[in-house]
Structures are given as C-alpha cells and as structure tokens.
Amino acid sequence: MRPDEFQHALSPAGEFSSDDKAAVYRAIETRRDVRDQFLAEPLPDELVTKLLKAAHSAPSVGFMQPWNFTLITDEATKQSAWEAFSRANAEAKLMFAEEQQALYSSLKLEGIRKAPLSICVTCDPTRGGDVVLGRTHNPRMDVYSTVCAIQNLWLAARAEGVGVGWVSIFHDADIREILGIPAHVEIVAWLCLGRVDVLYGEPELAVKGWRQRLPLEELLFRDRWGAR
Amino acid sequence: MRPDEFQHALSPAGEFSSDDKAAVYRAIETRRDVRDQFLAEPLPDELVTKLLKAAHSAPSVGFMQPWNFTLITDEATKQSAWEAFSRANAEAKLMFAEEQQALYSSLKLEGIRKAPLSICVTCDPTRGGDVVLGRTHNPRMDVYSTVCAIQNLWLAARAEGVGVGWVSIFHDADIREILGIPAHVEIVAWLCLGRVDVLYGEPELAVKGWRQRLPLEELLFRDRWGAR
C-alpha cells in the first residue's frame, strides 16, 4: 500500500461558519432528557428515518456497526414495558435514604406511555465476527459504539424538535422477554421519543433540586491524574 | 410538589431552522475517527475549553456527571502511551487470520504522537455516592454517560475543524500507570485531537477495504426483535 494510495478519498474539512457552529452547540447545550413534555402526534416515518441515519453515522469500533433499533408503537408492548419500569422503580426508590424518597417519588422518570414512539437500542457483539479491530483489549468498545449512536440520534432529534428520554430503570430480563431479544444481544437503552414544544432550560434533576451541575474546572487534570 | 411548580423553568424548544438542522447533520455525517490527518499547531486553550464544555453538557444518569478529562501535551507521556499502544497492537494483529494481517498492518490505528493534544476520558463510579438515580438496575449507565460526553466533544470538534481519534488498543494497566489513575476510576477512552484540513469522505476502514457500511434497513425491527 503506497502512502498516497487513498489521497483521492480525502476531502476538505475545515471549521464550520460561526452560524453553523452555533447550531451545533445549540443542539448540544439545549438537548434534554425528556420525561413528560412529549406531544401525542405520531412522528412521520421520514423524520424517524433521518434520526436513525444520524445514529447509523456514529463511529464504531472496527466499523462493526453493532447496533439494532427496535421501533415500538404498539400500545400493549409499551404498557408491558411501563409495568416493567414501575416494578423496578419501586425497588429503586427503596435504595435511597428515607429523607430522599419523597423527592424521588415526585420525579417522573419515564415517558413510555406518553411518548408516541419508543426505540429499544441493542448491541450485537457477534456482528463483526469473533475478532474485531480495536476490541481485543477493550471488550466494551462495541457497547460504547452503540452509545455514540444514541447520542447522535439524541442531538439530531433536538434539532428536529423531537424530545428523547433514556429509560434505564428496568430488569433486563423483562425487556428481553417483552421484545423477544436473543440472549447474546445486549440491551443498551429504551428511548422514548416525541415532538416537544418546551424543554427545561437546565437539566430536570437540577431544576427539581436533586443534584446540581459540577464546575467543569474541578473535573480537569493536566498530564497526570490529580494535577492541575 | 404541585404539577405546575416548575413551569417557569420550561422554555420554548421547537425545531431548528433548515440551515441550523443542516449544520447539525453535517457535523454528524462528516465526523471521522482521525488517525493521520492531524496538523501540528497546538490547540488554543479557549478552543479546548469549548470542546470540554460540550462534553460536560452530555446527559448523565442521575445527573452524576461521572467524567474526568486528563489533558496530555507532555511529549514523554505521549511517547509512553504510544509504546503501550504499540505493544498491544502487535498482540492484536496476531488475533486475525493470516490473510488479514497484511491489511491490518497497513492501517494506522492511532495518532498519539502526531496529534498535539491527547485527552484521557475516565469515569468515576463513586461520583454520586453509593446509590445513583437510574443506575440501580443498570450499573453500566455511568460509563454510558461518559461515552455520551465523548460523542458531544467529537461533534463539537468537527464543527471547529478539529479531528478526533479514539484509541482503544492498549492494556488498561499501562495507561493507568502512565497517568497515575486510581484503581476505582474506569478508563473509557484515549482521544487524540488536532486541527485538520482534510478528512476521509467515508469512514477510513471502508475506504481502505476493511469493512463496509451496512444497509440501515437491515438493522431495524418493528415492535419485536426480528419483525420488519
């Protein structure tokens, strides 16, 4: 392979205009984890396809593209998922100190029945064969690729006026049974999607007093852990 | 808590203009995993801060914000990390069938020494205390939040004309020792960053014949795994 063999595949790729940069930062900064602002109108197929294409544009280890997307609009299926959430959430509440439980109970932590569309995002670790370029020393890279796809979808959704909420409170086995997901496939996320016309200006858990944003500078080190 | 107690914290949040949507999709679609296109000029501090703020705007389970960012510009530290990569990469190559090894060897899989900045992204699972809202039933949610932060940074970098490459080929223990990362903190990624003026039009592993993009429609199911 000569060093210049692939030069023709390179394209100019400088920085965006100020306006275009601002749009990207606006998607990043105003994206929210939505639980209750979903409007009832169904999402058009073409719009959902655009969001899924954004997800499918994510980086993936060894270009294995390990993701699948199961789109759920069936009401009975959403009801079953909501029941799985409700059972798990009752357990989760009891993990907190008594003085936190009232605030916990007041938080709406999912929008499964309200959002017109749910998407179960999964990772198939067998997609690229037994050996995947870049996964040998970190076997979790396939799931990380899948999470990158979720974040792509989430940001594209913000630009489209679609809210997304990531539900993580359920027993894996319940969702696996409800959707018939094979044992070798990993469930990464249950996402709720629907149009929104309002969003919280700050993350909902900050607005509602659960936990506040940390100062970024406290999270940065220089050249070595702990050095500033 | 009355249902309307937090209404004042909601802001209008509809879809973006066509131009602004196009900018978001352009960042998503033209982002690449960069190994060799890095220019040598150092990245200004203000620019790096903008990218880190984008990362810090990511969703996090229970708003725990479990991430830390160790910024590495020290040449000796980058050299040590490159040596750790090189040792691991020699092992990784041997995992492939003999007929794949020549192509594997021809691929440049990191830009640690060429890129002016590296960022080691870690996840501290103790950040939010023992019990974290949303993590009880999925203990990996903290790492998934950290990956969302990485993808935010990656897309902001694309808009800024900065290339990012995620290096995953190293033994965890090597990077842990080089940077002095405590045992309880998880290493999620070693990122290489630098300005770029060209990028591949398609993912580099596709351009170079390692693996091609899958048709999106093959990855979609309706209401149940396997149903189309």
Side-chain angles (χ1 to χ4, degrees):
Chain A
M1 190 181 295
R2 288 173 296 114
D4 63 350
E5 188 182 346
F6 297 106
Q7 290 297 312
H8 67 278
L10 290 164
S11 311
E15 63 185 310
F16 288 12
S17 69
S18 302
D19 284 353
D20 285 357
K21 279 191 214 178
V24 173
Y25 283 113
R26 181 152 68 100
I28 288 172
E29 290 164 9
T30 66
R31 179 212 51 76
R32 289 289 168 266
D33 202 337
V34 178
R35 276 74 174 83
D36 199 39
Q37 285 74 46
F38 299 114
L39 304 175
E41 58 178 287
L43 299 178
D45 285 348
E46 318 82 74
L47 173 56
V48 175
T49 298
K50 286 175 78 176
L51 302 182
L52 293 169
K53 278 187 182 165
H56 194 42
S57 300
S60 63
V61 65
F63 203 32
M64 72 181 286
Q65 309 157 73
W67 40 69
N68 285 91
F69 306 95
T70 301
L71 313 183
I72 301 120
T73 51
D74 178 64
E75 294 299 333
T77 306
K78 291 201 282 180
Q79 177 68 25
S80 298
W82 179 80
E83 288 166 8
F85 160 82
S86 298
R87 288 191 296 273
N89 200 40
E91 298 163 358
K93 174 186 167 182
L94 298 177
M95 303 291 292
F96 290 99
E98 208 167 334
E99 64 272 21
Q100 287 179 292
Q101 292 189 14
L103 178 53
Y104 186 89
S105 297
S106 75
L107 299 169
K108 182 169 166 61
L109 297 175
E110 56 71 47
I112 299 169
R113 295 181 301 181
K114 191 169 184 184
L117 175 66
S118 284
I119 302 181
C120 184
V121 185
T122 51
C123 173
D124 183 348
T126 68
R127 181 72 44 79
D130 287 344
V131 185
V132 172
L133 185 157
R135 194 181 60 174
T136 296
H137 292 81
N138 186 344
R140 305 310 296 155
M141 284 302 294
D142 47 15
V143 183
Y144 298 171
S145 303
T146 307
V147 174
C148 288
I150 292 169
Q151 186 64 4
N152 266 9
L153 178 148
W154 212 334
L155 293 170
R158 174 64 197 92
E160 297 283 0
V162 172
V164 176
W166 182 330
V167 182
S168 60
I169 302 172
F170 53 78
H171 287 280
D172 187 273
D174 285 346
I175 298 300
R176 194 172 294 281
E177 185 180 344
I178 291 166
L179 297 181
I181 296 171
H184 74 280
V185 171
E186 188 161 344
I187 299 171
V188 182
W190 183 288
L191 304 178
C192 300
L193 288 86
R195 285 206 189 275
V196 292
D197 52 10
V198 292
L199 288 173
Y200 285 107
E202 290 294 322
E204 189 167 346
L205 291 180
V207 168
K208 298 189 171 175
W210 183 262
R211 192 170 159 83
Q212 299 306 313
R213 196 182 295 278
L214 302 171
L216 174 57
E217 53 279 15
E218 291 182 5
L219 306 176
L220 306 182
F221 302 129
R222 298 263 169 197
D223 287 317
R224 193 171 172 80
W225 181 271
R228 301 195 196 258
Chain B
M1 191 182 295
R2 287 174 296 116
D4 62 350
E5 186 183 348
F6 297 105
Q7 290 297 313
H8 68 279
L10 290 165
S11 311
E15 63 184 310
F16 287 13
S17 70
S18 302
D19 284 353
D20 284 359
K21 278 190 216 179
V24 172
Y25 282 113
R26 182 153 67 102
I28 288 171
E29 289 163 10
T30 66
R31 179 211 51 77
R32 289 291 168 264
D33 201 336
V34 179
R35 277 72 173 84
D36 200 38
Q37 284 74 44
F38 300 114
L39 304 175
E41 57 177 289
L43 299 178
D45 284 348
E46 318 81 76
L47 173 56
V48 175
T49 299
K50 286 175 77 174
L51 302 182
L52 293 169
K53 278 186 182 166
H56 194 42
S57 300
S60 63
V61 64
F63 203 32
M64 72 182 287
Q65 306 157 76
W67 40 71
N68 286 92
F69 306 94
T70 301
L71 313 184
I72 300 119
T73 52
D74 179 65
E75 293 299 332
T77 305
K78 290 201 284 181
Q79 177 67 25
S80 298
W82 180 80
E83 289 167 9
F85 160 81
S86 298
R87 287 192 297 272
N89 200 41
E91 297 163 359
K93 173 185 167 183
L94 298 178
M95 304 291 292
F96 290 98
E98 207 167 336
E99 63 273 21
Q100 287 179 292
Q101 291 189 14
L103 177 53
Y104 186 89
S105 298
S106 76
L107 298 170
K108 181 168 166 63
L109 297 175
E110 56 71 46
I112 300 170
R113 293 181 302 181
K114 190 168 184 184
L117 175 67
S118 284
I119 302 181
C120 183
V121 185
T122 51
C123 173
D124 183 348
T126 68
R127 180 70 45 79
D130 287 345
V131 185
V132 171
L133 185 158
R135 194 181 59 174
T136 295
H137 293 82
N138 185 344
R140 306 309 296 155
M141 283 301 295
D142 47 16
V143 183
Y144 298 171
S145 302
T146 306
V147 174
C148 288
I150 292 168
Q151 187 64 4
N152 266 9
L153 179 147
W154 212 333
L155 294 170
R158 174 64 198 93
E160 296 284 359
V162 171
V164 175
W166 181 331
V167 182
S168 60
I169 301 173
F170 53 77
H171 287 280
D172 187 273
D174 285 345
I175 298 299
R176 195 171 293 282
E177 184 180 345
I178 291 166
L179 297 181
I181 296 171
H184 74 279
V185 171
E186 188 160 344
I187 299 170
V188 183
W190 182 289
L191 305 178
C192 300
L193 289 86
R195 284 205 189 276
V196 292
D197 52 11
V198 292
L199 288 173
Y200 284 108
E202 290 294 322
E204 189 167 345
L205 292 179
V207 169
K208 297 188 172 175
W210 184 261
R211 192 169 159 84
Q212 299 307 313
R213 196 182 294 280
L214 302 172
L216 174 58
E217 52 281 15
E218 291 182 7
L219 306 175
L220 306 183
F221 301 129
R222 300 262 169 196
D223 287 317
R224 193 170 173 81
W225 181 272
R228 309 208 189 244

